[in-house]
Amino acid sequence: MAEHTNRTFICSVLFLDIVDYSLRSVAEQIALKERFNAVLTEAIAGVPTDDRIILDTGDGAAVSFLGDPEDTLFAGMSLRDAVAGQDVTSGPQLQIRVGVNLGPVRLVKDINGQPNIIGDGINVAQRVMSFAEPGQILVSRSYYDVMARLSEDYGKLFHYEGAKTDKHVREHEVYAISSAPSNLRRTVPVATPRPTLRLPSLRLPKFLKLQPRTWPDTLAVNGKLLVAAPLAFTLIVGTGVIARSHRSSDGEAKMVVSVAPPAAPKGAPAGVQAPEFPPVQAKEPAAPRRSRDAAATPKATLQAAKANETGAGPNGREVAPAPRPSEAEVAAAVPAPARDATLSIVALPWAEVFVDGTRQGVSPPLRSIPLRPGKHRVELRNGSFPAHVQTVELKPGTELSITHRFRR
C-alpha cells in the first residue's frame, strides 16, 4: 500500500455511523464500539488487505475499497443483516446507518505515517449516509450507475429515493438497497487463498558420525564417485549434435550426425578411458517425387547418388564437403518462443475494461493487462457515457497504451 501513497483513485467508499452514539454513556459507547468492530471485521474478511483502507471516525468507520466495487455492496448488506440479527438481550442495541459512493479519493499519509484517504469520494459517502434511516443503506447515483450495469440482479436491488440536499446546498440523487434474494451471486467470484505448500523433510546421511575404523572403506567409495562423476558429466556435455548436410546435384539431401567423443576426466586413473562412439548416420529424408524427365534418366540419378556417397563429382573429381554450420547459426535457426504483450489502460475518470468480451476489471486501479500477441477488441465503459471501442494489434514483447477521457 505504501507505493500507492499520494495518488488519486476512483474507488467505492462505505461510510458507517452508529445511531445515537454520542447520547450513550461511556460504558455503553465502549460496548457498542466493540460489537461494531467485530461485525465490521467479519463483513470485510474476504477482501484482501491491500484492496481496502479502514478509517476510524469515532462514532463509526469509513472503508475505501480500491478493488472490485462489488466488495462494497456485499460488505454493506452483510453489515446490515448482522446488525439486524443481533441478540438485543445483552447490552445496548447496535443500530447503524450506511452510505455508499463511487468517486475520487487521494491516498496520503496521516500524522502517524499510516495510509489515509481524503477527497470528494469520501465526503459524498458521508453526505449520503446522513440521509439514511437506522438500518438503511443508501448509495449515490455514480455507484448505482456502475452496479446496475454489471448485472440485472444488481439493478433490481436498488430503489430510487429522490434527490436530497445536504447542508452545503448540494443535491444528491440517492438509491436504497432492498433485501438481497438468497440466489444472488457475484459476477466475479472471490479469490480463495492458495494452500500453503509444505516441502517434504529431507534426511541427509550422517557422514560426520562415521567410526574411524570405517574411514578406509568410506574413502574408497568416495574415490570411485570422484572418478565416475566427472566422467558422467563429460559424457553428457560431449554429446553435442552437429548437423551436416550434403546436397546432390538433383536437390536430394543427406543428413550426417556426428557425436564428439568425450575426453577422459582430469585426474582419472590410468586404466579408465573414455568410451569411443562411432559416428551415427541419420536416415535420409524421403526423396521428392521425380518428374517424367527425371524418371527417363535413371542413370544420371544413380551417378549423382553415388557421387554423394563417395564425395566425388560426376566426372570423378572430388567435391569439397559443405561447410559445417557454427553453433551460433544452429541456435539462430531455432525459433524463439513468442512472448506475451502488455496493454496499458489510462481511463479518465474511470472505466470498466472488456477485452474480447471478457471483463478485466475497473481502471483505475487496473493499469496493465498481459495479452497474447495478435488482434484484440478493447471496450471501455463508464456509466451513461458512450462506450469507447478500439481494436488493437499487439506484437510479441511489446506494450501498447490506450488513453481515453469520457466526455458528454
Side-chain angles (χ1 to χ4, degrees):
M1 190 64 65
E3 65 272 14
H4 297 315
T5 307
N6 293 328
R7 293 187 57 187
T8 302
F9 291 91
I10 304 297
C11 58
S12 52
V13 180
L14 185 72
F15 207 99
L16 310 169
D17 175 68
I18 302 176
V19 179
D20 297 334
Y21 180 81
S22 59
L23 301 179
R24 307 279 185 171
S25 61
V26 175
E28 291 180 341
Q29 289 180 355
I30 294 176
L32 288 175
K33 196 60 183 292
E34 291 179 352
R35 189 178 304 174
F36 173 80
N37 293 340
V39 173
L40 178 60
T41 302
E42 183 179 357
I44 63 176
V47 181
T49 55
D50 291 341
D51 290 348
R52 54 180 168 84
I53 299 178
I54 305 175
L55 299 181
D56 193 336
T57 59
D59 58 348
V63 185
S64 176
F65 295 87
L66 305 179
D68 201 315
E70 292 177 281
D71 295 336
T72 312
L73 175 65
F74 283 88
M77 292 190 300
S78 177
L79 278 168
R80 181 187 59 186
D81 298 341
V83 172
Q86 66 180 329
D87 185 10
V88 296
T89 59
S90 59
Q93 182 179 4
L94 175 64
Q95 291 183 331
I96 61 173
R97 296 179 297 177
V98 184
V100 181
N101 178 47
L102 180 67
V105 297
R106 187 172 184 85
L107 272 65
V108 296
K109 289 185 178 181
D110 59 11
I111 193 173
N112 297 320
Q114 300 298 324
N116 194 357
I117 52 175
I118 60 175
D120 188 69
I122 189 172
N123 295 336
V124 174
Q126 183 180 13
R127 301 291 183 267
V128 172
M129 180 273 303
S130 64
F131 303 138
E133 299 293 334
Q136 188 181 29
I137 303 178
L138 293 182
V139 303
S140 64
R141 176 62 182 271
S142 60
Y143 185 79
Y144 164 77
D145 287 340
V146 172
M147 297 302 297
R149 285 163 177 78
L150 290 181
S151 170
E152 294 182 359
D153 295 335
Y154 291 159
K156 298 177 183 179
L157 293 177
F158 299 94
H159 300 280
Y160 183 64
E161 294 289 329
K164 308 290 184 178
T165 304
D166 59 15
K167 62 181 180 180
H168 300 291
V169 197
R170 180 179 177 181
E171 288 189 355
H172 304 273
E173 294 184 359
V174 296
Y175 295 79
I177 299 179
S178 59
S179 299
S182 58
N183 59 350
L184 182 65
R185 295 292 182 269
R186 299 171 61 102
T187 59
V188 179
V190 181
T192 57
R194 297 180 179 178
T196 303
L197 297 178
R198 296 183 178 180
L199 298 177
S201 58
L202 301 177
R203 296 184 178 180
L204 300 178
K206 302 179 180 179
F207 292 107
L208 299 179
K209 294 185 179 181
L210 296 175
Q211 300 295 332
R213 67 185 65 178
T214 62
W215 283 1
D217 298 337
T218 304
L219 294 177
V221 174
N222 292 340
K224 295 179 180 179
L225 293 177
L226 292 177
V227 175
L231 179 59
F233 178 76
T234 306
L235 289 175
I236 296 174
V237 177
T239 55
V241 180
I242 302 176
R244 182 177 57 188
S245 64
H246 297 282
R247 185 166 300 276
S248 60
S249 59
D250 60 349
E252 297 180 354
K254 180 177 66 174
M255 301 297 297
V256 178
V257 180
S258 61
V259 181
K266 186 177 181 181
V272 179
Q273 297 181 356
E276 297 182 358
F277 297 96
V280 180
Q281 181 171 354
K283 294 183 178 180
E284 295 184 2
R289 291 185 177 179
R290 294 179 298 173
S291 61
R292 296 181 179 178
D293 297 339
T297 57
K299 184 176 180 180
T301 304
L302 182 61
Q303 291 179 356
K306 187 175 180 180
N308 285 336
E309 295 178 358
T310 60
N315 296 328
R317 299 180 181 179
E318 294 186 356
V319 179
R324 179 179 300 178
S326 63
E327 296 183 359
E329 294 175 348
V330 175
V334 180
R339 296 179 297 171
D340 290 344
T342 303
L343 178 63
S344 300
I345 302 296
V346 179
L348 300 174
W350 62 269
E352 292 180 79
V353 182
F354 293 82
V355 178
D356 298 331
T358 303
R359 183 177 183 273
Q360 303 295 328
V362 179
S363 175
L366 180 64
R367 298 183 59 187
S368 60
I369 305 172
L371 296 174
R372 293 180 178 273
K375 291 186 179 182
H376 297 276
R377 182 179 183 272
V378 182
E379 182 176 359
L380 306 180
R381 303 178 185 176
N382 182 321
S384 59
F385 292 99
H388 175 71
V389 181
Q390 183 174 348
T391 301
V392 297
E393 183 173 0
L394 303 178
K395 297 182 178 179
T398 60
E399 180 177 355
L400 181 63
S401 177
I402 295 181
T403 304
H404 181 71
R405 178 187 294 273
F406 289 93
R407 304 177 184 274
R408 293 190 181 276

